[in-house]
Amino acid sequence: MHGSRAIGIMGGTFDPIHYGHLVAAEAARTCFGLSEVVFVPSGNPPHKQDRQVTAPEHRFLMTVLATTTNPYFRVSRLEIDRPGPSYTVDTIETLQARVGHDVGIYFITGADAVMELMTWNRPEAILRMCELIAATRPGYPPADIRRLRKAIPEADAKRVHTIEVPALAISSSDIRARVAQGKPIKYLVPETVEHHILKSGLYGGDLTAGAGAGPLSEFWRR
Ligand code: NAP
C-alpha cells in the first residue's frame, strides 16, 4: 500500500543523455509531484544485443555530469553494477525495497520503449509495482498513442500516462550521427556532456583532431 510520497525512476540507455531526457524528467517530477527522480542508465540492455552500445561507465558518467545541477535528480549504478541483462522489473523491485513499500514508483521512459512493454521481462509485475510515464516527442501521432494504450492490458491502461515533451525532438541517435559527421552538438546536450564526448572520442568525434592526437585517445574511447 503506497502512501502519499512517490519517486520517479528514469530508465534509458542514455547513449548519450541529452536535454530532451532532462526536460522529460523535470516535467514528470513536477506534473506527478515526485519527490525525486532517479536516473538509471541501463547496464546491459537486453533488447540491444545486436548493436554496439557505448561502455556503461561513459554513459553513467555523462548522466552524472548532466544531472548534477538539479537537486531533485540522482543517478543510480544499479543496472551498471548488476551482472547479466538489465531487466527493468529487477530494478524496480530493488529500488522499491530500498525506498520502502509506502513510497509509490513512477517508471519514466520514452513512449516507443513503453510500446514494447509487453515483450519485457515480467511486464505484469512491472504494471503491478509502478505506474508508467511515457514521454512522447512533439507531433507523436494520436494513432501511436492509441497503439500504446492497446499494447497494455485494458485493466492497466490507466496506470500508463503520457507527457508531451517538445525537447524530445532531440534524440541520442541524431547526436551520435552529428558527432560522427563532425557537426556541432552544442545546446543539444549539457556542455559538460559535450566536452566528455569530444574529449573521450565517443561516437567517432575527436576534440583533439588535427592537434597531435596520439594513440592514447584510442585508449580512452573504450
Ligand atoms: P530505446 O529503445 O533506445 O528508446 C526508444 C525511444 O524512447 C527512443 O526514441 C529514445 O530516445 C526514447 N527514450 C529512451 N529513454 C528515454 C527516457 N528516459 N526519456 C525519454 N525518452 C526516452 O529505449 P532504451 O533507452 O533502450 O530503454 C528505455 C528503458 O526501457 C530502459 O530503462 C530499459 O532498460 C527499459 N527496457 C527494459 C526491457 C526489459 O526489462 N526487458 C526491455 C526494453 C527496454 P533516445 O534514443 O533519444 O533516448
Side-chain angles (χ1 to χ4, degrees), residues 5 13 20 22 54 84 103 143 148:
R5 222 176 124 229
T13 306
L22 297 169
T54 304
V103 175
L148 188 151

Side-chain angles (χ1 to χ4, degrees), residues 65-123:
L65 290 170
T67 53
T68 186
T69 54
N70 188 321
Y72 299 102
F73 288 176
R74 283 149 42 93
V75 187
S76 167
R77 291 189 59 90
L78 199 61
E79 292 192 359
I80 305 258
D81 290 342
R82 192 172 61 215
S86 301
Y87 292 126
T88 297
V89 67
D90 299 335
T91 303
I92 295 171
E93 267 170 354
T94 305
L95 288 177
Q96 182 79 80
R98 275 191 200 168
V99 294
H101 288 271
D102 57 334
V103 175
I105 289 187
Y106 286 78
F107 185 76
I108 313 157
T109 195
D112 288 345
V114 175
M115 199 100 81
E116 303 299 321
L117 174 75
M118 297 317 288
T119 68
W120 297 7
N121 201 25
R122 293 171 55 209

